[in-house]
């Protein structure tokens, strides 16, 4: 198969879909790999390194979209890229379609076969292609929140770890999954006062056992959530419903009860955000203020640590890319029901239930499409 990897064009997105090592793996199995010139510079991977791995370097994205059978990316295709997609082509990347009707419409209209990293499952129902970026984003959320709390950045002027004789900052993590767990690890490591909220008793038991006295757990309901965020210095939104839009858990009314200069970091912004007042921001302008509360809602947080993120991502995406290239998308999905969960759009049809229900499309199962 001819596999192409264009340069990412989203604001301050420095990751790349294929590392030179991944390109070499694909080439060694008889595939042809095209890399857009400069695509790897954000992770310090030069065109020469890709060529040494056996890849072909092409100028600009157009040859890749026009001639490659599979396009491997990191972020969802931007509007200019979506115009280049074509019927019968495979798109393998993060998509996050539920809160993005324009992207969904363009993918449906293009006829492309779109396989989303974030909905591919594992043997125990986990999301293995989403997990490494969730780990990165969870850890980064505390870094970003700590910086936003500085007075010069509009925050309360609170040091999360405190100092002897001064209380540490209060961090509230909403959601005890991969993002929340990693955020809590970082916040606990800084010495903050940490509370984790979740609705799953097993998750609360797991994080409670892990952190012991270093973090508190609370069942997530409206009353407990309001009580927790009202006194928080930093709130991390770490809620995920696979493939679906995130629920708006922190309302505008709750926001009015928060402390002036407190910070919200919405890691769920890729799926629409879990705060009512959230809207996507960029690394250029990462924050804005509503009701005296600082909002950090960067939709591609891991892009800021591109080298770590790219290698972590390729570790989990490459095996499926090799399978698709070897067998073709249909046979690869037939052979692996977990990969089949990644099929979101095919030939003008939406094949992921949560996306279809959220955006009003007729739902066609992957099993129907695969025959």
């Amino acid at each position: 198969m001819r596999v192409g990897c264009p340069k990412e064009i989203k604001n301050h997105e420095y990751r790349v879909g294929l590392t030179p090592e991944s390109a070499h793996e694909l080439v060694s199995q008889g595939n042809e790999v095209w890399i857009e010139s400069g695509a790897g510079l954000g992770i310090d991977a030069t065109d020469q390194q890709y060529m040494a791995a056996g890849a072909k370097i092409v100028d600009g994205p157009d040859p890749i979209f026009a001639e490659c059978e599979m396009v491997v990316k990191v972020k969802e295709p931007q509007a200019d890229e979506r115009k280049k997609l074509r019927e019968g082509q495979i798109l393998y990347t993060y998509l996050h379609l539920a809160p993005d009707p324009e992207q969904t419409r363009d993918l449906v209209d293009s006829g492309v076969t779109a396989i989303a990293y974030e909905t591919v499952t594992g043997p125990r129902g986990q999301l293995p292609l989403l997990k490494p970026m969730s780990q990165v984003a969870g850890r980064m959320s505390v870094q970003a929140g700590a910086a936003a709390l500085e007075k010069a950045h509009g925050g309360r002027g609170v040091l999360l770890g405190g100092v002897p004789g001064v209380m540490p900052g209060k961090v509230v993590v909403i959601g005890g999954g991969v993002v929340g767990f990693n955020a809590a690890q970082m916040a606990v490591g800084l010495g903050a006062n940490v509370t984790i909220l979740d609705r799953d008793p097993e998750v609360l038991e797991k994080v409670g056992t892990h952190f012991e006295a270093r973090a508190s757990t609370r069942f997530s309901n409206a009353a407990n959530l309001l009580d927790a965020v009202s006194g928080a210095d930093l709130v991390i939104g770490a809620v995920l419903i696979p493939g679906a839009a995130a629920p708006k858990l922190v309302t505008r009314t709750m926001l009015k009860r928060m402390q002036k200069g407190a910070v919200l970091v919405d890691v769920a912004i890729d799926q629409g955000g879990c705060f009512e007042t959230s809207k996507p921001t960029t690394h250029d302008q990462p924050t804005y203020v509503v009701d005296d509360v600082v909002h950090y809602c960067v939709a591609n947080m891991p892009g800021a640590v591109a080298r770590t993120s790219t290698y972590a991502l390729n570790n989990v995406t490459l095996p499926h890319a090799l399978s698709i290239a070897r067998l073709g998308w249909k046979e690869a999905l037939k052979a692996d029901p977990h990969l089949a969960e990644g099929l979101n759009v095919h030939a003008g049809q939406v094949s992921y239930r949560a996306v279809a229900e959220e955006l009003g499309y007729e739902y066609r199962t992957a099993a129907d499409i695969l025959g």
Side-chain angles (χ1 to χ4, degrees), residues 52-121:
K56 175 182 176 180
I57 302 299
V58 298
D59 290 327
D62 289 352
I64 289 171
F65 285 100
E67 300 185 49
C68 289
E69 297 160 86
M70 177 164 65
V71 176
V72 180
K73 284 175 43 60
V74 177
K75 291 303 292 178
E76 71 280 356
Q78 304 300 290
D80 285 348
E81 294 174 310
R82 298 197 295 268
K83 295 174 185 176
K84 299 179 174 72
L85 293 167
R86 53 189 169 79
E87 187 173 357
Q89 192 168 52
I90 304 161
L91 174 65
Y92 183 48
T93 188
Y94 286 119
L95 293 174
H96 302 290
L97 294 179
D100 194 344
E102 291 183 5
Q103 184 197 175
T104 305
R105 184 188 65 242
D106 288 349
L107 294 184
V108 167
D109 290 347
S110 73
V112 75
T113 296
I115 300 170
Y117 295 159
E118 73 273 9
T119 62
V120 174
T121 59

Side-chain angles (χ1 to χ4, degrees), residues 99-164:
D100 194 344
E102 291 183 5
Q103 184 197 175
T104 305
R105 184 188 65 242
D106 288 349
L107 294 184
V108 167
D109 290 347
S110 73
V112 75
T113 296
I115 300 170
Y117 295 159
E118 73 273 9
T119 62
V120 174
T121 59
R124 294 178 299 279
Q126 71 272 45
L127 303 170
L129 276 61
L130 185 61
K131 184 175 182 178
M133 296 305 95
S134 296
Q135 291 169 326
V136 171
R139 295 179 182 214
M140 285 190 69
S141 68
V142 177
Q143 291 182 195
L149 271 171
E150 295 175 12
K151 200 68 179 177
H153 296 153
R156 298 193 69 221
V158 170
L159 182 66
L160 287 181
V163 293

Side-chain angles (χ1 to χ4, degrees), residues 224-248:
N224 287 345
L225 193 57
L226 175 60
D227 183 59
V229 302
S230 295
D233 298 299
L234 171 61
V235 179
I236 308 291
V239 178
L240 173 69
I241 300 175
K248 307 297 184 188

Side-chain angles (χ1 to χ4, degrees), residues 252-266:
R252 183 71 179 265
T253 302
M254 290 180 181
L255 200 72
K256 295 179 185 296
R257 297 279 295 274
M258 293 183 66
Q259 303 179 94
K260 181 179 180 180
V263 174
L264 299 177
V265 177
D266 197 341

